[in-house]
Amino acid sequence: MEDLLLYRELQKLPEKYRQVIHLFYYEEMSVAEIAGVLHGKESTIRTQLTRARAMLKEVLGDDYAF
Amino acid sequence: MTTHFKDRYQEWNEKVQPSGELLSKLLMEVADAEEASDVTETLGSPEMEAKEHRKSWNNRAQNKHNHNRRWGRGIAVAAAFLIAINVSIPVLAGTFPNIYELMYLVSPAVAQFYRPVQMADEYDGIRMEVVAAYIHEETAEIYITFQDLEGDRLDETTDLYDSYSIHTPSSSAIGSCQKVGYDPETHALTYLITVAQEEGRKIEGEKLTFSVGGYLSHKQNYENIEISIDLTRVTDALYQYVDSPANGGTMTGYSGLVTDMSETEIMEKKTQGYCVLVPQSADPAFPVNGVNFTGIGYIDGKLHIQYAVANSLDNDNHGFFFLQNAAGDTIEEVGSVSFRAGTGENRIDYRDSVFLVPQEELQNYRLYGDFVISEGFHEGNWQVTFPIKEMEE
């Protein structure tokens, strides 16, 4: 069930936020590398990462540390 | 006990992996698509550099796999999505595998257990087909396609918005929905829906009815939208307290505030609720339709910025504000409080974002926002009933 909750909440993220989350946490890419792949500025990627974490924290609560 | 999100996310992605052969095939298709792309169209050195980054990423991905790193299904799908977005070659549309190949791409460990259903329902010119299903214990995994037979009401942003459900003799379940494909030529989407009955109760009975109650579509993303507000004039604002529903309040959610609260504030929260701006009239000059700007001001030294969404249960309109100065330095919210006013068709949902920026420094920043706006929820009624026994493992 925890898998389903995580799955569902990740799917609710805007696609760009899902991309940065995946590239950062699973592919372990740096912000600079992610910016290159996604054609964006590093500051934009940092912003998207921050917001994606905020959205996930809002629903996942304090069970996870980012 | 607190878990590190990174560990959990990696563990979750590694539970299902595509085969080495399938992944190699996908990565080769991606690399071929890169080579075949029209590199002469307005490419300058930043484009070439980004292209090299992507190739380097693909090579590194292949090397990682060759070193026995297990890949989650997300990266295979993410690869296709990323390349489709970045090089504008319709990798998804032109070469997207049929649904059975999709199953092996998305869920290779269990693809063999799916049983064909191939039953459809049509409503208002939109056809839903339950293509295949895999039912095991308390979980039903169902592949469906959703296609507009008459027009273009569906697009790549179409979202079933949690309107899907299964009906069995033993009721309640929760689920998730993953969009796994979209064909822009046929306006057909493919979803993998996973539904599990609560408390681990096995799905039993002769038949299962899968239904979808509607969809959201044509979502628009608005990014880095400047909000034209004179931040030099922002001062202390009228505020109110909102409390949790358990205490009869109108708060609907909050995030990230506790760590920045003093003990006094925490005690106040327990007795009075959270502090939010008193909503003002919507700013008619706000640049994004579907979201209303209803306030900005300081409460107890913290900057609050508020927006409102009407009929939020029928749309997925939402957004985030941020402050940015001329040097590109960004201040993000440290937390938020969501609350509602009114009920039913008159319900309005508010979101108060909290920022830590001293009032005397605010003049150095401009206000921006990212928003997602949809055209509204379209109700429908699609139902397919199929026998359970034949779908079981």
Side-chain angles (χ1 to χ4, degrees), chain A:
Chain A
M1 298 308 288
E2 194 185 337
D3 281 352
L4 278 179
L5 175 64
L6 181 58
Y7 202 38
R8 181 170 61 180
E9 297 307 331
L10 282 164
Q11 291 306 311
K12 283 180 181 176
L13 293 178
E15 188 169 308
K16 281 217 159 149
Y17 293 1
R18 290 207 305 273
Q19 288 175 352
V20 296
I21 283 284
H22 192 83
L23 293 175
F24 187 83
Y25 285 106
Y26 190 74
E27 284 304 299
E28 297 180 299
M29 296 174 79
S30 67
V31 169
E33 288 173 318
I34 296 173
V37 169
L38 297 184
H39 250 175
K41 295 180 183 176
E42 287 186 34
S43 57
T44 303
I45 300 302
R46 268 191 285 270
T47 298
Q48 289 172 348
L49 208 47
T50 301
R51 291 197 199 119
R53 286 179 186 138
M55 290 176 79
L56 288 172
K57 283 200 80 162
E58 195 161 336
V59 291
L60 299 177
D62 296 327
D63 291 340
Y64 292 94
F66 286 82

Side-chain angles (χ1 to χ4, degrees), chain B residues 371-385:
Chain B
F371 303 94
V372 177
I373 306 294
S374 70
E375 65 177 11
F377 185 71
H378 298 270
E379 287 191 356
N381 185 14
W382 296 269
Q383 283 193 6
V384 168
T385 300

Side-chain angles (χ1 to χ4, degrees), chain B residues 290-312:
Chain B
V291 170
N292 295 313
F293 188 85
T294 51
I296 182 170
Y298 278 86
I299 303 173
D300 198 22
K302 295 191 179 84
L303 177 66
H304 288 240
I305 305 177
Q306 186 186 91
Y307 75 75
V309 175
N311 301 317
S312 68

Side-chain angles (χ1 to χ4, degrees), chain B residues 131-307:
Chain B
V131 178
Y134 168 36
I135 297 174
H136 49 109
E137 299 302 321
E138 76 277 9
T139 303
E141 298 180 43
I142 303 169
Y143 273 94
I144 72 166
T145 58
F146 212 54
Q147 183 180 16
D148 190 343
L149 302 175
E150 297 178 358
D152 59 355
R153 288 168 291 180
L154 308 182
D155 66 0
E156 63 270 21
T157 70
T158 298
D159 180 348
L160 300 185
Y161 204 41
D162 286 344
S163 72
Y164 50 87
S165 61
I166 61 169
H167 306 277
T168 68
S170 50
S171 70
S172 65
I174 64 170
S176 65
C177 178
Q178 180 188 13
K179 193 186 314 170
V180 296
Y182 171 67
D183 187 338
E185 289 188 5
T186 61
H187 301 293
L189 296 110
T190 305
Y191 297 93
L192 168 59
I193 296 176
T194 304
V195 189
Q197 294 209 123
E198 292 180 323
E199 299 173 0
R201 285 180 295 175
K202 186 178 174 181
I203 294 176
E204 293 177 310
E206 290 189 1
K207 296 180 182 179
L208 181 148
T209 297
F210 174 77
S211 62
V212 172
Y215 62 91
L216 285 174
S217 202
H218 295 292
K219 292 186 185 182
Q220 296 283 335
N221 286 308
Y222 298 88
E223 293 187 353
N224 299 316
I225 304 295
E226 183 171 356
I227 318 299
S228 299
I229 287 179
D230 184 357
L231 296 180
T232 64
R233 301 179 65 178
V234 175
T235 59
D236 291 345
L238 289 173
Y239 62 89
Q240 62 181 352
Y241 288 97
V242 292
D243 208 343
S244 74
N247 297 330
T250 59
M251 190 171 71
T252 56
Y254 73 94
S255 71
L257 293 176
V258 176
T259 53
D260 289 285
M261 280 187 172
S262 64
E263 283 197 23
T264 305
E265 287 171 321
I266 292 174
M267 286 308 299
E268 278 181 356
K269 177 182 73 66
K270 284 182 180 174
T271 54
Q272 297 175 303
Y274 285 94
C275 233
V276 296
L277 295 172
V278 172
Q280 304 301 305
S281 300
D283 181 354
F286 193 70
V288 177
N289 285 328
V291 170
N292 295 313
F293 188 85
T294 51
I296 182 170
Y298 278 86
I299 303 173
D300 198 22
K302 295 191 179 84
L303 177 66
H304 288 240
I305 305 177
Q306 186 186 91
Y307 75 75

